[in-house]
Amino acid sequence: MKALLKLILSFTLVFISIFVLMKFTGVITIEKVENWLLIAKDTGVWTLMFIVVVILMSDLLLSIPTLATVTLSGYFLGHLYGAIASLAGLMLVGVMGYLLSYYHGDKIEMRVLKTREQRLDARQNFAQHGIVMILFSRAIPMLPEISACMAGMTKMPFYKFIAAWSLSIIPYVLVCSYAGSISSLDNPNPAIYSAISVNIVIWLAWYATRKLGKHAKTIAN
């Protein structure tokens, strides 16, 4: 388990460094995302959807405020088109992270984990816990991208990754884009309440899954 945690920590440090850089330089902020969508509002639905997809895709490298972007997509595009654009963007983020790490992650893995035994241990542990990590990754910033990269690096079967990734983003996008679609500048409460509720539900689901897993192990022993 130590090898897996070491690998996750290495990815976390990279993503935190990117986040801090973006924060201090002000390259990407919630206000800027909102302004971009506001400027593009009159260009047509398809152009606006394309911009949402591009913004979310860049989350892999630029630490985009995902929750705010998905909510704003619902606000500017409506629930249906906002959800479609957000799902497309987040799906592409996951697939890109998986594929890049699948084909190029070995170099990083070998630098962080020096021995073959450590690398094998990390892969075995991620195979055991990776699905749960992906499913509940939306509860913590940067964890979704780290999970996607870890899945590719440890060679998780693509069908397992895409199934878990889909289950993690579909409810998230549907709820947040809907909240955005019924919010307004005068009444932002639906968006605020949905952001709080989504995180609480994910944390409770993770806690329940963890408890059930421990209970099952106790019964088995």
Side-chain angles (χ1 to χ4, degrees):
M1 194 68 175
K2 288 183 179 179
L4 178 62
L5 292 174
K6 189 176 180 181
L7 206 53
I8 292 173
L9 180 61
S10 300
F11 271 111
T12 302
L13 290 174
V14 171
F15 280 102
I16 287 176
S17 300
I18 295 171
F19 174 78
V20 170
L21 181 63
M22 294 300 104
K23 188 73 174 175
F24 279 101
T25 58
V27 174
I28 303 292
T29 63
I30 294 174
E31 290 76 19
K32 284 189 175 182
V33 171
E34 185 175 358
N35 287 336
W36 293 337
L37 295 176
L38 189 61
I39 292 168
K41 186 177 180 181
D42 297 326
T43 61
V45 172
W46 296 109
T47 302
L48 194 51
M49 288 178 70
F50 176 75
I51 291 172
V52 170
V53 171
V54 171
I55 290 173
L56 288 172
M57 280 177 60
S58 62
D59 187 40
L60 188 62
L61 297 175
L62 299 178
S63 296
I64 298 296
T66 306
L67 179 60
T69 303
V70 173
T71 305
L72 286 169
S73 73
Y75 174 74
F76 285 105
L77 284 163
H79 186 212
L80 177 61
Y81 291 114
I84 291 172
S86 297
L87 283 172
L90 292 181
M91 187 61 72
L92 287 170
V93 167
V95 172
M96 286 192 305
Y98 177 92
L99 292 177
L100 284 171
S101 298
Y102 188 93
Y103 290 107
H104 303 289
D106 290 348
K107 297 175 185 176
I108 300 173
E109 186 183 35
M110 292 178 72
R111 287 189 63 132
V112 177
L113 305 176
K114 303 299 183 181
T115 67
R116 183 177 179 277
E117 288 73 20
Q118 286 180 318
R119 295 192 289 273
L120 183 61
D121 180 65
R123 294 189 181 203
Q124 288 175 340
N125 275 286
F126 191 79
Q128 184 178 355
H129 304 288
I131 297 291
V132 173
M133 181 177 171
I134 294 169
L135 285 174
F136 302 122
S137 61
R138 292 285 154 194
I140 303 174
M142 294 178 282
L143 189 56
E145 295 77 27
I146 293 170
S147 300
C149 292
M150 287 294 302
M153 181 180 291
T154 58
K155 304 298 187 286
M156 173 185 281
F158 184 72
Y159 74 91
K160 284 188 178 180
F161 165 73
I162 209 67
W165 187 259
S166 298
L167 287 173
S168 75
I169 66 172
I170 290 174
Y172 176 86
V173 165
L174 291 178
V175 170
C176 294
S177 60
Y178 176 72
S181 72
I182 61 173
S183 298
S184 65
L185 295 177
D186 297 325
N187 181 27
N189 289 336
I192 295 170
Y193 294 151
S194 72
I196 297 171
S197 300
V198 163
N199 282 294
I200 289 174
V201 168
I202 293 174
W203 274 106
L204 289 175
W206 173 81
Y207 181 77
T209 302
R210 190 164 172 265
K211 283 291 184 181
L212 287 171
K214 286 185 176 180
H215 183 63
K217 284 184 180 179
T218 302
I219 293 174
N221 294 330

